[in-house]
Amino acid sequence: MLPNDYQPDHYESLLTRKVTRYLPSFEALGAPPPRIYRSPTDAFRMRAEFRVWHEGDDLNFVMFDREKPKEPVVIETFPFASLPIQKLLPTLRDALKSDAQLRHKLFQLEFLSTLSGDVLVTLIYHRKLDDEWAQAAKALSSKLAIQVVGRSRGQKVVLDRDWLTETLTVQGKTFQYKQPEQAFIQPNARVNESMLTWACDQAQPSTRDLLELYCGIGNFTIPLSEKFRFVLATEVSKVATRAASENLRLNTISNGELARLAAEEVTEALSGTREFRRLKALSTPIADYDLETVLVDPPRAGLDSATLSLVGGFDQILYISCNPLTLLDNLSFLTESHDITALAFFDQFPYTDHLECGVNLRRRGHHEVIE
């Protein structure tokens, strides 16, 4: 996404074009009319990354157009980024340009920000970082009131901390999330709040349990824990699993537990075909959960065949997808036994062709439509 993609005057028509592209395929599977959740038209991305372009004594943040991959586009302004990132860009550029330690072989920058205005910047280098670099980076961190992390091949230097705390509001309640700079974070915080609210609206209070696959840092786990007797959340990433565990504690969630398992391993664990040492620490054996609902938020490739079969065995399926095409492919199987009772489109990435989707499926004979 380049600055010239910014078209706030055409936001509604671009969103309509995306929805129109996919909606007939969902309707063909029996989906009801969708709820459409719009994004702010600017300052919506809480994350951003730029290459660093050195030319003589000059230094710029740049991006590259896929159609012209060898021609850097200098980033003077970036209206998609959160206001704290936008405000930081020129002052950070000047600070890096004027400091030989900080600019030497600097290759890339990654930004993470929060709704409260905190910013973490990761500086990525093609050289080993030493004490002189750390001293310069500490001065930069203090001067600009930001968190700074340094990276190079096989090296990570954390000056203070490598995470931020985000606060999100869902159904009138606030939840806090520790967000590590390495972990996947939903980039559009306001649309993420809409996604969480929609999921909680679909999950009516239950005396039974929820299984969550691909839980990440606990994005959905935290608010959904209030809807179920117990939540068993799984994630394969060590960084994300540690953050999710800390986020359960941060929000004093006592009815949730995490297991570091890949989705296909969950199938083996639930069927009893394989035992996992990683599950020994669970306070409740996995076979003792009364699982009725499953929530999945898979990568763009969607669900593999084994996980799809596992998911199809649940009475309620909450499916969050970043790829409508793989979602539709998975739904062609799931709708053989389940009805789509709710459909939502979330404009997580304005001015692009990407569209986030939410689908609530209920096994036939067990569903009720939720407005």
Side-chain angles (χ1 to χ4, degrees):
M1 183 182 292
L2 297 169
N4 59 6
D5 293 322
Y6 181 57
Q7 306 173 63
D9 293 341
H10 298 97
Y11 174 79
E12 290 296 336
S13 62
L14 291 169
L15 176 57
T16 298
R17 186 173 70 183
K18 280 195 283 192
V19 170
T20 302
R21 175 184 176 186
Y22 295 111
L23 183 56
S25 297
F26 284 97
E27 292 176 333
L29 293 171
R35 288 284 304 273
I36 299 174
Y37 294 87
R38 290 160 173 79
S39 169
T41 56
D42 59 11
F44 51 82
R45 285 192 65 94
M46 311 310 290
R47 303 196 75 134
E49 62 180 55
F50 306 102
R51 288 280 297 277
V52 178
W53 194 258
H54 301 264
E55 196 164 7
D57 292 332
D58 203 8
L59 177 151
N60 284 295
F61 304 154
V62 304
M63 299 180 74
F64 291 88
D65 191 330
R66 289 183 179 179
E67 296 180 0
K68 300 177 181 179
K70 295 184 179 181
E71 298 181 17
V73 178
V74 174
I75 304 301
E76 299 290 352
T77 60
F78 198 67
F80 314 109
S82 67
L83 291 178
I85 293 177
Q86 291 189 49
K87 182 179 178 181
L88 179 63
L89 284 176
T91 53
L92 178 61
R93 174 189 171 276
D94 291 345
L96 294 172
K97 180 180 177 180
S98 63
D99 191 304
Q101 273 295 328
L102 295 176
R103 68 175 289 166
H104 181 52
K105 292 191 176 182
L106 177 62
F107 170 72
Q108 184 168 310
L109 299 96
E110 297 178 354
F111 296 81
L112 172 64
S113 63
T114 67
L115 292 171
S116 63
D118 292 335
V119 179
L120 185 153
V121 178
T122 302
L123 304 176
I124 305 173
Y125 290 84
H126 283 323
R127 69 178 176 97
K128 185 177 180 180
L129 304 179
D130 54 19
D131 290 341
E132 291 185 356
W133 176 88
Q135 290 177 6
K138 287 179 181 178
L140 177 72
S141 173
S142 177
K143 177 182 178 181
L144 300 183
I146 60 175
Q147 296 295 324
V148 175
V149 172
R151 286 186 175 275
S152 65
R153 183 181 295 274
Q155 185 183 23
K156 176 179 177 180
V157 180
V158 181
L159 304 179
D160 180 15
R161 51 188 167 88
D162 60 351
W163 50 270
L164 298 178
T165 300
E166 179 64 286
T167 301
L168 300 177
T169 302
V170 182
Q171 292 185 327
K173 292 195 63 174
T174 58
F175 300 93
Q176 290 187 306
Y177 294 87
K178 178 179 178 179
Q179 298 183 335
E181 55 102 20
Q182 285 181 283
F184 171 76
I185 308 297
Q186 295 288 351
N188 191 323
R190 292 306 184 195
V191 173
N192 187 31
E193 287 180 324
S194 296
M195 292 169 59
L196 296 174
T197 298
W198 178 85
C200 287
D201 287 343
Q202 303 307 312
Q204 295 299 288
S206 174
T207 57
R208 300 180 67 187
D209 302 333
L210 168 71
L211 172 67
E212 182 183 359
L213 309 180
Y214 316 96
C215 76
I217 67 168
N219 187 50
F220 288 94
T221 317
I222 304 302
L224 281 174
S225 66
E226 298 192 340
K227 302 291 184 176
F228 295 90
R229 186 191 68 144
F230 210 88
V231 177
L232 174 62
T234 66
E235 168 61 49
V236 69
S237 163
K238 290 183 179 179
V239 172
T241 302
R242 284 196 296 269
S245 295
E246 292 181 28
N247 287 332
L248 288 176
R249 291 192 292 270
L250 187 62
N251 292 276
T252 62
I253 304 299
S254 59
N255 66 327
E257 200 152 20
L258 283 137
R260 191 172 64 81
L261 293 175
E264 56 269 22
E265 292 176 324
V266 176
T267 303
E268 296 175 317
L270 287 174
S271 65
T273 58
R274 182 181 170 191
E275 291 187 0
F276 292 88
R277 187 177 299 176
R278 283 164 282 167
L279 296 179
K280 298 294 185 182
L282 290 180
S283 60
T284 302
I286 195 167
D288 291 348
Y289 286 91
D290 184 16
L291 298 170
E292 176 187 34
T293 301
V294 62
L295 182 140
V296 294
D297 184 7
R300 291 189 61 79
L303 301 176
D304 62 83
S305 58
T307 306
L308 192 60
S309 296
L310 169 69
V311 167
F314 285 76
D315 290 340
Q316 181 182 23
I317 305 165
L318 291 170
Y319 195 138
I320 306 295
S321 172
C322 60
N323 186 345
L325 296 178
T326 55
L327 170 61
L328 287 164
D329 182 64
N330 287 168
L331 288 176
S332 66
F333 171 80
L334 295 173
T335 52
E336 292 179 1
S337 55
H338 292 67
D339 292 323
I340 300 174
T341 62
L343 171 66
F345 293 139
F346 307 96
D347 196 19
Q348 181 92 243
F349 302 95
Y351 314 116
T352 74
D353 292 332
H354 296 291
L355 187 64
E356 200 98 359
C357 307
V359 178
N360 185 10
L361 298 108
R362 296 262 183 174
R363 186 179 302 281
R364 292 192 184 98
H366 290 79
H367 69 268
E368 56 180 312
V369 176
I370 301 171
E371 298 297 335

